Amino acid sequence: MSEITLAASSQAINVFVVIDTEKIKNGGYPVSKDKTKPVGIRHDSQYMLVTGARQVISGQGTADLNFRANAGDTVSFTGTSFYDNADDAVIVYGIQYWKGDQVFNRFVPNLVTRTGAVEPNTETDDGLPAKKTKFNFSSFDSKVRSSGTEDFYVLIALYTLAPNGQDQELHGYYYWDPTITVS
């Protein structure tokens, strides 16, 4: 039996943000430790991928993503560093209106805990079978409230690995500006 998709039904849209933290750290940017005053960054160190969007208008895999959604859709942002947050780490902590129509409701952080998440098995040569472990997954979510085109800021916190090789410490707060179009 084939799956039927109803275009009018709300959809879950996921935006995955990958940050090249080395480009930010070595980019000559001032450092802000004040989350209310993040530093704007060039569009050469961040890569966004969207799934579930009504349409990718432009910029899939770039910092200049523009995608289409409908009112009622849920948009979730999650982020990571090229290090998979193991050395440098990234947290998406805000989506902020910049200009155009205000199409998003307030964004809120959400946490999902999986008690049987998988990780490679270090006791085998190929990492399989996977080992199950408890793991937290986070996202920053909003329901789309109305039609229009909104330019917005994605705000990220960048953390670096401390000299002790265990702790991650705040390096600074940064932002850039993609776009959403709502039918």
Side-chain angles (χ1 to χ4, degrees):
M1 178 174 229
S2 65
E3 193 173 309
I4 298 172
T5 301
L6 301 174
S9 298
S10 63
Q11 290 186 192
I13 299 171
N14 295 291
V15 181
F16 184 55
V17 178
V18 181
I19 302 294
D20 183 342
T21 56
E22 294 300 326
K23 279 189 178 178
I24 294 174
K25 291 187 306 185
N26 298 318
Y29 299 108
V31 174
S32 173
K33 303 274 185 169
D34 181 348
K35 71 179 183 177
T36 65
K37 297 178 182 173
V39 173
I41 55 177
R42 293 180 296 276
H43 292 208
D44 64 351
S45 59
Q46 55 280 62
Y47 309 89
M48 294 187 295
L49 299 167
V50 64
T51 184
R54 302 293 175 158
Q55 175 189 5
V56 176
I57 297 170
S58 62
Q60 181 79 291
T62 74
D64 297 308
L65 180 63
N66 184 356
F67 62 96
R68 187 175 305 280
N70 283 354
D73 289 346
T74 299
V75 178
S76 299
F77 284 81
T78 188
T80 190
S81 69
F82 275 162
Y83 302 104
D84 195 24
N85 282 352
D87 290 341
D88 288 349
V90 171
I91 295 174
V92 175
Y93 75 92
I95 304 297
Q96 197 173 78
Y97 170 81
W98 174 39
K99 68 177 183 175
D101 305 300
Q102 286 191 284
V103 302
F104 287 122
N105 283 305
R106 187 173 64 86
F107 274 82
V108 295
N110 281 301
L111 191 68
V112 172
T113 301
R114 302 271 187 231
T115 57
V118 295
E119 66 182 15
N121 183 341
T122 58
E123 297 171 6
T124 65
D125 290 339
D126 61 2
L128 298 175
K131 292 171 84 175
K132 294 194 177 195
T133 187
K134 184 177 179 180
F135 195 82
N136 294 323
F137 298 91
S138 64
S139 62
F140 212 68
D141 310 334
S142 175
K143 205 172 255 280
V144 176
R145 72 178 182 187
S146 63
S147 61
T149 298
E150 178 178 331
D151 293 321
F152 57 96
Y153 296 133
V154 177
L155 287 64
I156 60 167
L158 189 154
Y159 294 82
T160 56
L161 191 61
N164 68 9
Q166 295 299 315
D167 299 321
Q168 291 173 319
E169 299 173 342
L170 178 66
H171 176 76
Y173 297 103
Y174 302 92
Y175 75 91
W176 74 98
D177 56 341
T179 304
I180 182 172
T181 301
V182 179
S183 303

